[in-house]
Amino acid sequence: AQKITQTQPGMFVQEKEAVTLDCTYDTSDPSYGLFWYKQPSSGEMIFLIYQGSYDQQNATEGRYSLNFQKARKSANLVISASQLGDSAMYFCAMREGQYGATNKLIFGTGTLLAVQP
Amino acid sequence: DVKVTQSSRYLVKRTGEKVFLECVQDMDHENMFWYRQDPGLGLRLIYFSYDVKMKEKGDIPEGYSVSREKKERFSLILESASTNQTSMYLCASSLSGGDAYEQYFGPGTRLTVT
């Protein structure tokens, strides 16, 4: 069965340092997509980055990059030069199927990141 | 700017009450979703809809129903609220048919059932 696992309930990082948030997934579908969302304390979910299973290169969006290791079924989020505003809950999510009509996502349990000055 | 709105940020209801949570999106999205979020459990899908009047059960549909009479509006209904339905409820919407289409989320409704 499809599953997303985030093994780090919480993490600390010093301001300006890089941090990696772990995400592993399990699926038997050869076509899938991986998403990362940020949820600040205010509660809204903010889309950060997307990686498709057939994408040859790791996705990047500004200070966010996705370390996609297909053979290991991992899709870790790397945040470079952490800022205080990065303190939030981070969720990894997966969509199965190509051109998924419903775009249904499965979410992990999240990692709470605290950036320290 | 894309927008998903939910009718209430905070709601307090009594056990046995019928509860309506409303979600509206202004992006002409085909797909709409209802999740509940609980500490340590992440987001769990309750129901989703891929078209007007069309719906499918998610992972935890028990105790809930939904209605989608118009494309922009997706309602979650708790027929008889119970204390174990105290949670954060998040609505989302997305386009269909594309690999990278992300879901856009509303601000959430924190429901307390006493």
Side-chain angles (χ1 to χ4, degrees):
Chain A
Q2 58 269 36
K3 190 177 179 181
I4 291 281
T5 302
Q6 294 181 255
T7 57
Q8 305 154 314
M11 288 188 70
F12 289 98
V13 65
Q14 290 294 122
E15 196 176 6
K16 299 181 185 177
E17 292 186 351
V19 63
T20 298
L21 307 183
D22 294 343
C23 173
T24 58
Y25 58 91
D26 188 20
T27 179
S28 56
D29 196 319
S31 177
Y32 51 89
L34 296 154
F35 299 77
W36 277 92
Y37 282 84
K38 172 184 178 182
Q39 187 181 43
S41 57
S42 54
E44 79 274 22
M45 295 279 284
I46 302 166
F47 165 71
L48 296 177
I49 197 167
Y50 167 82
Q51 179 85 42
S53 59
Y54 295 119
D55 292 343
Q56 295 298 312
Q57 292 187 322
N58 286 345
T60 60
E61 288 286 349
R63 294 185 298 110
Y64 304 108
S65 61
L66 204 153
N67 183 3
F68 181 46
Q69 298 188 42
K70 199 169 182 176
R72 296 180 61 187
K73 293 190 173 179
S74 74
N76 298 339
L77 177 71
V78 180
I79 306 174
S80 63
S82 297
Q83 302 172 356
L84 295 178
D86 293 335
S87 295
M89 182 71 89
Y90 289 82
F91 290 98
C92 180
M94 177 173 66
R95 174 197 50 73
E96 285 190 318
Q98 189 176 21
Y99 304 119
T102 61
N103 266 339
K104 191 170 66 167
L105 295 178
I106 301 153
F107 284 83
T109 53
T111 295
L112 183 62
L113 177 68
V115 180
Q116 298 177 318
Chain B
D1 196 17
V2 297
K3 198 151 185 156
V4 179
T5 57
Q6 294 183 228
S7 49
S8 306
R9 287 304 301 269
Y10 299 94
L11 207 54
V12 179
K13 295 292 181 181
R14 295 203 179 274
T15 302
E17 279 192 84
K18 190 169 186 176
V19 182
F20 292 87
L21 301 183
E22 306 284 340
C23 175
V24 177
Q25 51 96 3
D26 65 359
M27 297 165 282
D28 202 35
H29 285 171
E30 295 86 2
N31 301 323
M32 296 189 75
F33 308 84
W34 275 107
Y35 296 91
R36 67 177 279 176
Q37 181 180 5
D38 300 289
L41 298 178
L43 278 72
R44 293 179 293 166
L45 182 65
I46 305 171
Y47 267 96
F48 67 99
S49 169
Y50 50 90
D51 202 349
V52 175
K53 298 189 185 293
M54 305 305 287
K55 61 186 179 186
E56 283 195 23
K57 293 179 180 180
D59 299 317
I60 51 165
E62 297 78 18
Y64 304 94
S65 62
V66 291
S67 172
R68 193 170 181 198
E69 297 296 318
K70 293 184 177 182
K71 190 175 185 181
E72 67 271 18
R73 187 180 299 270
F74 192 35
S75 302
L76 180 69
I77 303 155
L78 288 66
E79 294 290 341
S80 177
S82 63
T83 54
N84 62 13
Q85 293 177 310
T86 291
S87 186
M88 170 72 96
Y89 289 87
L90 291 163
C91 175
S93 71
S94 77
L95 290 168
S96 67
D99 277 357
Y101 291 148
E102 72 267 33
Q103 291 185 13
Y104 292 85
F105 284 81
T109 295
R110 189 166 292 282
L111 173 68
T112 302
V113 182
T114 61

